[in-house]
Amino acid sequence: MLDYRFPTALQMVLSVAMAEQLGKRSTSAILAYGLEANPSFIRKLMVPLTRDGIIVSTLGRTGSIHLGRPASEITLRDIYTSVIEDKKLWASRPDVAPRCLVSANLCWYFKSIADEAEQASLKVLEKRTVADALAELKKRDTSNCEPLPDFEIEDFCKKSR
């Protein structure tokens, strides 16, 4: 089963960073709309991101979501480890009967390869910050997207009913 927590959380944090640069407001409803994701999934991902100080949110009618620290101080590794927590990149097959040399030793062998691959991935993510990612997205943008209009998501939802 594919796990979309990291790419969704990354898009959320980058969207919040972009909104801050543009002086725009971010809310879970606006993020859900922009990501075409279920609002409850967005709120679920906000929990570890908030716990780890990556984002902060204020409640109420004028509430919003902001970065918890400067974009240059948030690494992609921070986001990954926040939302993935203890889940491993690859999991070995549990409880394989030791019937031959391969089945008797594959568990520890696979675990060592998976650990090495995960550490290499974390090193790559550690080298990139939210500020770096946003700058690269802007530099390589070929979308020709219009900026998001100024609207309250709640008003938009009422009109679309």
Side-chain angles (χ1 to χ4, degrees):
M1 183 167 138
L2 295 176
D3 189 334
Y4 293 109
R5 288 178 295 174
F6 175 57
T8 304
L10 176 60
Q11 188 173 352
M12 287 170 58
V13 173
L14 289 172
S15 296
V16 170
M18 177 64 87
E20 285 187 0
Q21 285 185 0
L22 297 173
K24 304 279 185 183
R25 184 170 167 237
S26 291
T27 66
S28 60
I30 291 170
L31 289 174
Y33 172 78
L35 277 75
E36 293 186 352
N38 186 314
S40 66
F41 183 51
I42 299 300
R43 287 188 295 274
K44 182 178 179 182
L45 287 175
M46 285 177 58
V47 171
L49 293 171
T50 301
R51 176 197 66 217
D52 295 335
I54 295 168
I55 61 170
V56 293
S57 71
T58 55
L59 300 173
R61 180 152 172 73
T62 59
S64 61
I65 302 167
H66 299 279
L67 295 180
R69 53 188 188 265
S72 60
E73 295 177 15
I74 302 170
T75 68
L76 303 192
R77 179 185 177 144
D78 295 335
I79 298 167
Y80 177 83
T81 56
S82 179
V83 297
I84 298 300
E85 297 174 328
D86 292 335
K87 185 177 179 190
K88 292 292 185 186
L89 187 61
W90 296 328
S92 60
R93 292 183 57 217
D95 303 324
V96 176
R99 295 191 174 131
C100 67
L101 176 108
V102 172
S103 61
N105 294 287
L106 190 64
C107 186
W108 67 261
Y109 180 75
F110 185 85
K111 185 180 180 324
S112 69
I113 290 172
D115 288 346
E116 186 177 343
E118 184 152 11
Q119 290 308 310
S121 295
L122 291 173
K123 282 182 183 177
V124 168
L125 295 175
E126 191 170 47
K127 293 177 187 176
R128 291 177 170 83
T129 67
V130 169
D132 297 335
L134 205 50
E136 188 170 344
L137 291 175
K138 289 177 182 179
K139 180 180 173 185
R140 298 181 67 185
D141 179 31
T142 59
S143 68
N144 297 318
C145 291
E146 294 291 322
L148 280 176
D150 286 327
F151 65 85
E152 290 295 321
I153 195 71
E154 294 80 11
D155 294 338
F156 177 78
C157 291
K158 290 175 190 171
K159 290 176 187 173
S160 65
R161 286 184 190 158

